[in-house]
Amino acid sequence: MKISALEVRADALIATWSQKGRVTYPTLWLRDNCPSAFHPQTEERVLDLLSLDLEPVLVDAQRSGDTVILHYADGHISHVPTSLLFANRPGRTALDPAAIAPRLWRADLTPANLPRYAASQLLENDCALRAWMQDTAAVGLSIVDGLDDRIDAGVEIACKIGFLRETNFGMTFEVVSKPDPNNLAYTAVTLPLHTDLPNQEVPPGFQFLHCLANEAEGGGSLFADGFALANDLRTKDPEAFRLLCEVPIPFRFHDRDADIRTHAPVITLDRAGTVSEIRWNAHIAATFDMPAEILPAYYRAYRTFMAMTRDPAYQITFKLKAGEMIVFDNRRVLHGREAFNPATGFRHLHGCYVDRGEFNSRLRLLARKTH
Ligand code: OGA
Ligand code: ZN
């Protein structure tokens, strides 16, 4: 991208880019982002912003090859690569290899077209790892198959992405029917569609459930794209959507060792107003504590969303097999399972989480070294 003209004002540089037109760079921003403001090795900012005037004065700008040389009234000179000015045009977020647009799905996602990757490829090949992560980010859901019959086989793949997210259920957890369960997942009952741990200040990001055995009758899995549900609610019932975005509800998990609570809305929007997070877990939603005047309308909205989660038009269902691992964005995709009968066979999933920040960091690192 080429600069066709530079205009100097005391308070700003105005660059005309050959295809993007005029872009204004305020002088204080130019000083704050002068390459000399950053440590040469760590690339962290070392400049003290308060050492500058609030209104530094730009006096001259010259192009010299791929650099723009800026002179200021206090004598400072900046040598700014043109590429840096282009990549950081104010008002525009810098390109991010981890910013992958969600591809929303409803019943059109089927076991046959669900992204599916072989464990061995992911462990050996960074291009495959990246392709899998990109698909998992876009769809919010994927399957890894061909895992060894070892308890750690799924965790090893999660660790290719980043640090595990430890929770009150441990660094990893066993989903088996237990004699003294502290969580419905550790029973054999139906788990309606939900997201895990919305009672946490930040719920875990990506969830990994490695199936070691699924021999009992029942125990099928189901998933729904929470972003598709929320977007459809937005269109068909804007008032219900508004309430689910605006009214925080209490979530709580408690047992002998923990009492973890938060208030948060069911739907969170990002700064562009796009749905960015779903918290949905009817079994750990605590007693609604909003004012009585709001309760009837809120219940109506909450039940509308709940009814949508029960609609097969939003669901994908299949039964996990030993050696498969389901991976999903727990802050987007709702998951559930049918009841199973433990008397008819063993069912065992081994689970862990990796937060979105770790996941995105790995995507950016893979973008540096793969194409
Ligand atoms: C869970 C869970 C699903 C299953 O452990 O959070 O939802 O298939 N398990 O048992
Ligand atoms: Zn769960």
Side-chain angles (χ1 to χ4, degrees), residues 52-366:
L52 302 176
D53 284 346
L54 178 61
E55 295 177 340
V57 172
L58 183 66
V59 293
D60 187 43
Q62 300 291 332
R63 270 175 288 169
S64 167
D66 292 337
T67 305
V68 174
I69 302 171
L70 302 170
H71 289 256
Y72 306 87
D74 64 0
H76 186 79
I77 301 173
S78 297
H79 294 259
V80 192
T82 316
S83 57
L84 198 142
L85 284 176
F86 185 72
N88 296 292
R89 294 171 340 261
R92 196 183 148 279
T93 310
L95 278 184
D96 181 359
I100 293 173
R103 292 203 299 270
L104 304 196
W105 49 270
R106 297 167 184 79
D108 53 322
L109 189 71
T110 66
N113 61 17
L114 181 63
R116 179 177 279 271
Y117 286 80
S120 55
Q121 272 187 307
L122 305 182
L123 291 167
E124 283 157 21
N125 178 334
D126 278 348
C127 290
L129 182 66
R130 184 176 181 212
W132 166 58
M133 290 178 66
Q134 287 174 321
D135 267 353
T136 306
V139 179
L141 178 67
S142 66
I143 287 200
V144 178
D145 61 19
L147 273 83
D148 291 347
D149 185 21
R150 282 185 292 112
I151 191 86
D152 284 336
V155 174
E156 284 165 11
I157 291 182
C159 288
K160 288 288 284 183
I161 298 177
F163 299 113
L164 302 189
R165 162 78 181 270
E166 190 168 14
T167 74
N168 57 301
F169 294 104
M171 197 64 106
T172 65
F173 48 91
E174 309 301 328
V175 186
V176 279
S177 173
K178 296 181 189 174
D180 181 22
N182 63 347
N183 174 340
L184 279 181
Y186 303 157
T187 67
V189 306
T190 305
L191 291 180
L193 284 170
H194 65 279
T195 61
D196 276 6
L197 312 196
N199 59 305
Q200 293 276 358
E201 187 182 2
V202 179
F206 286 83
Q207 178 162 184
F208 302 74
L209 289 172
H210 169 201
C211 178
L212 288 136
N214 208 359
E215 286 145 20
E217 270 168 28
S221 298
L222 65 157
F223 298 87
D225 184 351
F227 288 1
L229 289 162
N231 276 2
D232 289 356
L233 182 69
R234 188 175 213 166
T235 313
K236 78 170 194 177
D237 193 337
E239 178 59 9
F241 179 82
R242 186 188 66 76
L243 286 164
L244 295 185
C245 289
E246 290 181 5
V247 181
I249 60 171
F251 293 100
R252 177 184 189 199
F253 172 86
H254 60 295
D255 65 1
R256 277 192 298 272
D257 304 316
D259 187 346
I260 304 170
R261 310 180 194 186
T262 198
H263 278 80
V266 168
I267 300 171
T268 301
L269 305 180
D270 66 15
R271 61 200 167 108
T274 308
V275 175
S276 62
E277 172 161 11
I278 305 292
R279 295 185 193 232
W280 184 259
N281 194 320
H283 44 273
I284 63 169
T287 305
F288 289 171
D289 55 359
M290 60 284 266
E293 312 84 81
I294 299 174
L295 275 169
Y298 192 81
Y299 268 118
R300 196 191 63 76
Y302 189 77
R303 287 171 52 110
T304 302
F305 191 81
M306 187 177 278
M308 290 174 74
T309 69
R310 306 280 166 85
D311 182 346
Y314 288 101
Q315 296 174 2
I316 176 174
T317 58
F318 50 88
K319 185 163 174 173
L320 281 171
K321 297 187 191 67
E324 290 181 332
M325 177 165 74
I326 191 80
V327 182
F328 53 95
D329 181 350
N330 177 60
R331 293 167 65 188
R332 163 180 174 187
V333 167
L334 283 53
H335 65 286
R337 68 143 192 254
E338 328 168 86
F340 59 96
N341 179 353
T344 56
F346 189 48
R347 185 178 191 276
H348 179 193
L349 310 182
H350 186 63
C352 65
Y353 305 108
V354 173
D355 276 333
R356 279 182 177 176
E358 294 299 321
F359 189 97
N360 291 342
S361 166
R362 178 63 54 205
L363 271 178
R364 295 182 190 113
L365 292 175
L366 289 169

Side-chain angles (χ1 to χ4, degrees), residues 11 26-29 49-57:
D11 65 342
T27 304
L28 184 57
W29 183 97
L49 181 60
L50 292 184
S51 70
L52 302 176
D53 284 346
L54 178 61
E55 295 177 340
V57 172

